[in-house]
Amino acid sequence: MDGLLYERKNGFDGISAKDKSEIFDFCAEYSHAITVAKTEREFSDMSVSLLEKAGFVELSCKNQLKPGDRVYSVNRGKGIVAFVIGGEPIENGCNIVGAHIDSPRLDLKPNPLYEDGGMAYFKTHYYGGIRKYQWLSIPLSLHGVVVKRDGTQITVSIGEDKNDPVFCIADLLPHLAQLQAEKKLSAAFEGEKLNVIVGNIPCEDADKDKLKYGVMKLLNEKYGICEADFITSELELVPAFPAKDLGLDRSMIAAYGQDDRVCAYTALRAVIDAKTPVKTAVCLLVDKEEIGSEGNTGMQSRFFENTLAKVCSLCKETYNDLVLRECLSHSSCLSADVGAAYDSNYAEVYEKNNACYVNGGLLLTKYTGARGKSAASDANAEFMAKICGMFDKAGVLWQCAELGKIDVGGGGTIACYVANLDIEVLDAGVPLQAMHSPYEVAGKFDIYMAYKGYNAFFNN
Ligand code: MN
Ligand code: MN
């Protein structure tokens, strides 16, 4: 009997040449975008320019909103929310796709610069869940802002241009690693040893700390900053290499920061392509997911609620708080975040029947969490059925999985914080291998299915 058993497939299996080239073209644009926007600030800036090109205007420029209007609002340079006002009244709710644009990385400490053993270094403090050894002996670039005490903001980017120098953390040579090799992995690599090489020419202007002085002098020449300005900066080290096609068949993309800019980019493209939808379409890109969605740029902040209140008030001739409350209660959300794709080299941590596969389609995760679904937002069967049915109708290939085997670990997304707002929410994103590494692997078919799925969700 047809359809009696649930079957999985590789999305490229039997694909037409036309569909394949559409997918590859879309992914080439994606690849470029994540190569030029490697931090939350850069991604937020890039989103503004893509949105403005597509006719979106800043929310503060509007004194009323009507169906078809396209507006956006930026949260402190590190997050953004874009709306396409729908045909139905706003209190009927919105369709929200929410992704995060921060990724694991190495931040500079407030007092980063020092010299030791004939070398100048930056001290770093890692951000998010990294496997420390993966960040050794790879080229790193420095991105971020320095804010002077008079308010001047200086944008820093070193290591991306082909003529730029890069930075790196030198790993220990195997010849002298015998003692380290006997340690447990968690003890073998220490956070305080993630010190980045920044220079080695002594500066004769100084009587002491000549290496440190030399580095500071170069930074002063280029950016006009002094050592104390590091204290009022946000500088991040990320892998300096670009996104590349992976595999002889070019069926995948290897790149830094695909968690979660693969979902952020596809969500952004989908909202740009949303034509006067029935319900208001919302693309919500947040910061700080990797450290628990904390802070005023994270999903736990009131930013989204406050911005939505503003939108509600501009949609109505008379507004009271109930409009916002009803809008929230009637809204639906795809929490667009990546999941762990099955990796046969580590088969022991996956449960094959409930794993997802690269190029197996858009990944739906009913619940995340750890142990007995602790800290999970468990999507309602009713909502899941609605979404699966909608994807089927739109020709979106999807798969459903858990993060890994029970009790081997766990994780979360913004879903639980969205759910706290009384919104229906389901995790829907792209499966990745080597998640949180400097070189994450995503399937091109899945990337395109994410775009197609979010698009169907908005235009439904
Ligand atoms: Mn994520
Ligand atoms: Mn993550």
Side-chain angles (χ1 to χ4, degrees):
M1 188 178 136
D2 217 26
L4 184 66
L5 295 180
Y6 169 51
E7 276 176 67
R8 299 176 172 280
K9 63 177 270 194
N10 178 314
F12 280 121
D13 197 2
I15 197 166
S16 72
K18 182 177 159 284
D19 287 351
K20 188 177 158 198
S21 87
E22 201 173 307
I23 291 170
F24 276 41
D25 289 349
F26 181 90
C27 287
E29 292 174 50
Y30 161 66
S31 210
H32 172 75
I34 57 164
T35 297
V36 299
K38 289 187 176 176
T39 66
E40 60 283 14
R41 284 181 188 268
E42 289 170 355
F43 201 93
S44 176
D45 291 349
M46 184 190 71
S47 302
V48 169
S49 64
L50 288 175
L51 288 165
E52 287 190 342
K53 223 178 280 171
F56 287 73
V57 298
E58 212 173 41
L59 179 60
S60 59
C61 299
K62 290 287 207 180
N63 46 28
Q64 64 165 37
L65 289 171
K66 51 181 195 326
D69 280 352
R70 297 150 84 80
V71 289
Y72 72 86
S73 183
V74 174
N75 186 2
R76 298 168 172 87
K78 299 187 233 179
I80 186 164
V81 56
F83 300 82
V84 180
I85 306 303
E88 280 190 9
I90 192 80
E91 60 270 32
N92 288 13
C94 305
N95 286 330
I96 306 157
V97 179
H100 66 94
I101 54 176
D102 61 317
S103 297
R105 60 176 191 253
L106 305 175
D107 286 343
L108 292 200
K109 288 194 181 190
N111 290 305
L113 185 59
Y114 74 103
E115 66 172 85
D116 194 8
M119 191 73 84
Y121 296 96
F122 280 152
K123 287 208 80 70
T124 69
H125 194 136
Y126 68 95
Y127 172 96
I130 65 163
R131 309 195 76 195
K132 298 185 187 89
Y133 68 84
Q134 294 178 338
W135 294 75
L136 309 176
S137 296
I138 60 166
L140 298 168
S141 55
L142 185 69
H143 298 242
V145 296
V146 180
V147 185
K148 308 265 282 185
R149 268 161 277 178
D150 64 1
T152 334
Q153 187 160 322
I154 301 145
T155 303
V156 174
S157 174
I158 308 170
E160 295 296 335
D161 190 273
K162 69 176 191 326
N163 299 313
D164 277 358
V166 294
F167 307 94
C168 85
I169 301 168
D171 197 1
L172 181 60
L173 63 168
H175 315 67
L176 298 179
Q178 213 165 307
L179 290 176
Q180 187 200 43
E182 283 160 16
K183 290 184 183 169
K184 272 173 64 179
L185 195 58
S186 58
F189 302 95
E190 297 165 44
E192 289 295 352
K193 286 196 165 132
L194 297 177
N195 300 319
V196 177
I197 295 175
V198 289
N200 195 245
I201 300 179
C203 179
E204 289 313 319
D205 302 357
D207 330 318
K208 62 175 180 90
D209 291 343
K210 292 183 178 203
L211 293 169
K212 178 177 164 178
Y213 196 93
V215 168
M216 207 56 241
K217 203 176 159 194
L218 288 170
L219 286 170
N220 185 270
E221 281 164 17
K222 185 161 183 193
Y223 295 109
I225 59 172
C226 298
E227 193 183 4
D229 293 323
F230 282 122
I231 294 167
T232 53
S233 72
E234 286 179 356
L235 294 167
E236 310 173 2
L237 286 151
V238 298
F241 34 71
K244 296 286 272 183
D245 280 354
L246 175 67
L248 284 170
D249 55 12
R250 298 175 174 263
S251 57
M252 293 162 280
I253 288 175
Y256 163 70
Q258 301 205 75
D259 176 6
D260 183 33
R261 289 191 277 270
V262 65
C263 298
Y265 180 79
T266 46
L268 187 70
R269 288 287 302 264
V271 85
I272 284 171
D273 293 345
K275 312 287 174 224
T276 317
V278 177
K279 289 197 173 185
T280 295
V282 183
C283 171
L284 173 61
L285 305 181
V286 294
D287 179 32
K288 297 287 183 283
E289 192 277 342
E290 296 296 356
I291 58 165
S293 298
E294 311 283 349
N296 55 16
T297 55
M299 190 61 224
Q300 297 198 63
S301 149
R302 279 277 168 90
F303 169 78
F304 176 61
E305 219 176 317
N306 290 344
T307 310
L308 188 60
K310 178 99 197 271
V311 166
C312 286
S313 74
L314 295 178
C315 285
K316 306 299 286 185
E317 275 178 19
T318 54
Y319 173 77
N320 61 47
D321 187 54
L322 194 61
V323 178
L324 170 67
R325 300 294 139 207
E326 292 213 333
C327 177
L328 286 168
S329 306
H330 296 143
S331 288
S332 303
C333 175
L334 295 180
S335 159
D337 208 342
V338 299
Y342 183 79
D343 182 344
S344 61
N345 288 307
Y346 301 98
E348 64 279 10
V349 301
Y350 297 93
E351 191 265 284
K352 273 188 170 174
N353 291 336
N354 287 284
C356 60
Y357 297 82
V358 170
N359 286 324
L362 178 58
L363 162 67
L364 307 182
T365 308
K366 190 176 184 299
Y367 46 83
T368 56
R371 304 178 302 281
K373 300 194 181 180
S374 179
S377 164
D378 200 341
N380 294 310
E382 292 87 342
F383 183 59
M384 250 193 114
K386 196 172 140 188
I387 298 298
C388 293
M390 187 259 295
F391 285 159
D392 286 345
K393 230 171 81 189
V396 176
L397 183 70
W398 54 270
Q399 50 186 331
C400 180
E402 292 192 349
L403 182 63
K405 264 188 188 162
I406 294 170
D407 292 340
V408 300
T413 64
I414 63 166
C416 54
Y417 308 112
V418 174
N420 288 346
L421 295 168
D422 191 23
I423 295 173
E424 290 290 359
V425 58
L426 169 64
D427 278 300
V430 173
L432 294 186
Q433 282 192 350
M435 194 202 290
H436 282 207
S437 80
Y439 216 42
E440 300 172 316
V441 172
K444 287 186 179 177
F445 184 84
D446 302 332
I447 295 169
Y448 192 70
M449 281 303 119
Y451 163 72
K452 206 171 160 181
Y454 304 151
N455 197 276
F457 179 65
F458 285 145
N459 289 313
N460 196 44

